[in-house]
Amino acid sequence: MENKTLAFIGDSLGRQQFQSLMCMITGGEDRPDVLDVGRDYGLVKARHAVRPDGWAYRFPRTQTTILYYWSASLCNLTPINASNPLTDYAMHLDRPPAFLSRFLPRFDVLVLNTGHHWNRGKLNANRWVMYVDGVPNTNRKIADINGAKNLTIHSIIKWVDSQLPKYPGLKAFYRSISPRHFFNGDWNTGGTCDNTTPLSGGKEVLQDESSDAGAAEAVKGTAVKLLDITALSQLRDEGHISRYSIKSTPGVQDCLHWCLPGVPDTWNEVLFAQL
């Protein structure tokens, strides 16, 4: 990875893979020589924002840059009325995030993911309105959440594949979905994942097909590779944050995100084996 840039673009599980890799490279130590180069990519905290849209760090000895950009839906979002602070956002299902199209020429390895934000609650809370071909979507098949998600994943992978001939050194991956493990309810109905015994539900993956059929289908026939982590992560229901989060809410367990060090370290080992 000398003189190269590795970019993760996706949701909070993509952020966890980025955090995992940063910890693996630094050995979990504070490294004063590591440079924060977020400004080079416009990744600075906006006024009133809780955090920036991502982070970028450079390791000077090898000139390796590792970055993460927050794009939960993996499609382009634009304000419908920029002058209104409470505006809805056009969610362009068939367009890549502006950050990706702008900075793609600077990347050598790209890892994309999306998945867990595709539900009505998230879309309504974020004031996202589905658009296709630059206009509000009227197709009922696409309006279905699964239809919208599949259109986006296929569109973005197809777009990245179309760009690869221009950048022969670029290796692009789409990471399959990270499994949730809520038992006896969902995240808001008392679901739990506080088993602490590793591999109690099984010890190996024996299937040939991906457990994320949508992701496998989307990369088929393209030069974008599938980073398939679903089935192996499914075996690790004890690896989630569960009730051990720093600011946990009584009665609510996080059975979506992972403890670090943990399962996302394996995703990065698989990524580097593929590289």
Side-chain angles (χ1 to χ4, degrees), residues 7 9 56 67-68 75 78 87-89 93 98 112 122 178 206 269:
I9 297 181
L67 71 84
Y68 163 74
C75 57
T78 56
T87 182
D88 288 342
Y89 287 83
L93 303 177
L112 303 168
K122 289 283 190 193
S178 169
L206 297 169
E269 290 182 351

Side-chain angles (χ1 to χ4, degrees), residues 2 29 33 56 61 65 74 100 124 134 137 147 156 178 182 187 192 203 205 228-229 235 243 247 263 267 269-270:
E2 198 166 17
E29 301 289 327
D33 62 317
R61 194 169 59 80
T65 303
L74 212 54
L100 175 58
N124 295 340
N137 172 55
I156 305 318
S178 169
F182 288 95
W187 68 272
T192 61
K203 292 187 168 55
V205 176
D228 196 353
I229 57 86
L235 300 177
R243 55 192 156 93
K247 50 174 196 273
V263 171
W267 305 349
E269 290 182 351
V270 174

Side-chain angles (χ1 to χ4, degrees), residues 31 125 186:
R31 287 267 302 271
D186 212 322

Side-chain angles (χ1 to χ4, degrees), residues 157-176:
I157 287 174
K158 194 173 164 191
W159 179 82
V160 170
D161 187 53
S162 75
Q163 300 300 301
L164 289 175
K166 297 183 204 169
Y167 311 109
L170 175 62
K171 291 182 168 65
F173 296 86
Y174 182 80
R175 204 206 70 217
S176 67

Side-chain angles (χ1 to χ4, degrees), residues 4-274:
K4 289 184 178 172
T5 298
L6 190 162
F8 294 99
I9 297 181
D11 59 21
S12 54
L13 280 307
R15 185 192 69 227
Q16 285 212 296
Q17 190 173 358
F18 157 78
Q19 291 167 323
S20 154
L21 185 59
M22 286 296 297
C23 287
M24 290 169 88
I25 297 169
T26 58
E29 301 289 327
D30 188 22
R31 287 267 302 271
D33 62 317
V34 177
L35 305 174
D36 180 344
V37 293
R39 198 167 284 278
D40 295 2
Y41 296 90
L43 300 175
V44 290
K45 190 159 89 78
R47 218 167 31 169
H48 310 308
V50 179
R51 60 177 79 90
D53 286 334
W55 298 270
Y57 294 101
R58 186 164 297 138
F59 293 81
R61 194 169 59 80
T62 57
Q63 288 298 304
T64 304
T65 303
I66 311 287
L67 71 84
Y68 163 74
Y69 178 74
W70 164 262
S71 177
S73 63
L74 212 54
C75 57
N76 198 28
L77 298 169
T78 56
I80 292 171
N81 178 1
S83 60
N84 176 3
L86 297 175
T87 182
D88 288 342
Y89 287 83
M91 183 187 196
H92 297 281
L93 303 177
D94 50 352
R95 295 182 190 170
F99 180 89
L100 175 58
S101 40
R102 182 179 171 193
F103 291 109
L104 187 73
R106 291 169 65 171
F107 301 155
D108 299 282
V109 180
L110 174 66
V111 183
L112 303 168
N113 92 286
T114 186
H116 290 294
H117 276 251
W118 291 91
N119 60 70
R120 285 282 163 217
K122 289 283 190 193
L123 265 66
N124 295 340
N126 289 316
R127 303 194 301 276
W128 291 346
V129 180
M130 294 178 191
Y131 272 55
V132 179
D133 289 329
V135 295
N137 172 55
T138 52
N139 183 325
R140 282 165 88 176
K141 261 191 186 165
I142 293 171
D144 167 72
I145 289 286
N146 264 338
K149 182 178 85 168
N150 282 341
L151 173 63
T152 296
I153 293 170
H154 278 80
S155 298
I156 305 318
I157 287 174
K158 194 173 164 191
W159 179 82
V160 170
D161 187 53
S162 75
Q163 300 300 301
L164 289 175
K166 297 183 204 169
Y167 311 109
L170 175 62
K171 291 182 168 65
F173 296 86
Y174 182 80
R175 204 206 70 217
S176 67
I177 198 149
S178 169
R180 309 149 86 247
H181 289 92
F182 288 95
F183 296 100
N184 307 312
D186 212 322
W187 68 272
N188 55 352
T189 55
T192 61
C193 53
D194 47 11
N195 161 40
T196 55
T197 309
L199 304 172
S200 53
K203 292 187 168 55
E204 56 186 327
V205 176
L206 297 169
Q207 68 205 50
D208 292 328
E209 300 299 314
S210 174
S211 292
D212 186 345
E217 185 59 36
V219 299
K220 200 180 280 181
T222 74
V224 177
K225 287 194 168 72
L226 183 66
L227 183 62
D228 196 353
I229 57 86
T230 308
L232 65 90
S233 307
Q234 191 71 48
L235 300 177
R236 294 292 308 279
D237 64 277
E238 92 303 339
H240 292 286
I241 291 167
S242 182
R243 55 192 156 93
Y244 302 102
S245 118
I246 294 165
K247 50 174 196 273
S248 60
T249 310
V252 177
Q253 294 195 12
D254 185 344
C255 305
L256 172 63
H257 298 96
W258 302 92
C259 294
L260 292 177
V263 171
D265 302 346
T266 302
W267 305 349
N268 284 320
E269 290 182 351
V270 174
L271 171 64
F272 270 80
Q274 292 212 27

